[in-house]
Amino acid sequence: MRARTAASVVLAAGILMGTSACNLVAPQATLIRYDASDGVSGKVGTIAIRNTLLITQGKGAANLVTNLVNEGDDPVTMTIQYTSDGSKVNETVRIKGHETLAVGTDGPTITMRNVDAEPGSLFPVFFQYGDQTGEQLLTPVLTGAMAEYSTLTPTPLPPTPTETPTPTITVEPTEPATPDTEGAPDNDAAPTDETTVPDEDTGSTETPAP
């Protein structure tokens, strides 16, 4: 009975030692870095880039949402680059020392226009400043369907005003008016020999016989 008990103790100790050895080799899950939200994260110099994503309405425009944490003492001007219509576009934001800049929410807004950022895809966004090595993040593209993102969709551009063409007025030439000669005296009429002589008695006029 004693031998069996001793063997059991040795076996149990071996199991415990084996379990402890596994803990020494396997990484602890709590030390593994991961993104707790929908966005992705990165690091450039003293700037920690956290929870980066794009919010779109699926019409070629998207708002950038990210938190830029300056872990250093000096202010940093960060360049954010993306592709629009085949060309590189640079946006800049300034982060003070030991400041967290919430781009797209409480801080500045960066609206990307004419970008190929379809909902559900990954859109490349490049972060860099100074002489630091930049980092490109494949940023998830989401819509405003979820309540927490419903107010972060890009504002549509106002419609481009169209010019109203000025109507062309064509003036037709008019012919000169023909003077009305009806009733005018005929200067070419032959003179008559009749002379009107006043009547002394009646005051009337008579035409003497020839």
Side-chain angles (χ1 to χ4, degrees):
M1 188 72 178
R2 258 185 201 177
R4 185 179 298 178
T5 303
S8 300
V9 172
V10 172
L11 180 61
I15 294 174
L16 291 175
M17 290 179 63
T19 305
S20 300
C22 290
N23 287 337
L24 292 175
V25 175
Q28 298 182 25
T30 55
L31 298 180
I32 299 175
R33 178 186 165 209
Y34 69 100
D35 296 305
S37 186
D38 298 314
V40 293
S41 301
K43 185 75 177 290
V44 176
T46 63
I47 304 298
I49 309 167
R50 297 177 178 170
N51 195 29
T52 305
L53 49 86
L54 295 179
I55 306 298
T56 182
Q57 290 179 317
K59 298 180 180 179
N63 274 347
L64 175 67
V65 178
T66 186
N67 291 306
L68 303 177
V69 183
N70 190 350
E71 299 173 348
D73 299 327
D74 300 325
V76 168
T77 299
M78 175 73 78
T79 297
I80 302 172
Q81 186 182 87
Y82 60 93
T83 301
S84 171
D85 273 346
S87 301
K88 300 294 183 182
V89 178
N90 292 330
E91 304 278 358
T92 57
V93 292
R94 189 168 178 81
I95 313 107
K96 299 177 182 178
H98 300 286
E99 178 191 39
T100 298
L101 186 66
V103 177
T105 51
D106 296 330
T109 299
I110 296 179
T111 300
M112 302 178 180
R113 303 285 181 185
N114 301 319
V115 292
D116 186 16
E118 295 295 328
S121 65
L122 299 176
F123 186 79
V125 182
F126 184 74
F127 296 81
Q128 194 272 336
Y129 75 90
D131 57 357
Q132 299 292 326
T133 301
E135 182 170 357
Q136 178 175 280
L137 298 181
L138 294 178
T139 308
V141 182
L142 306 177
T143 67
M146 299 178 67
E148 57 266 36
Y149 302 137
S150 61
T151 60
L152 304 179
T153 55
T155 302
L157 290 175
T160 303
T162 56
E163 296 183 359
T164 303
T166 303
T168 303
I169 302 176
T170 304
V171 179
E172 297 290 340
T174 57
E175 296 180 358
T178 302
D180 186 7
T181 58
E182 185 178 353
D186 188 0
N187 295 330
D188 296 332
T192 61
D193 294 334
E194 296 180 354
T195 304
T196 303
V197 179
D199 189 350
E200 295 180 355
D201 297 333
T202 63
S204 61
T205 60
E206 293 181 359
T207 301

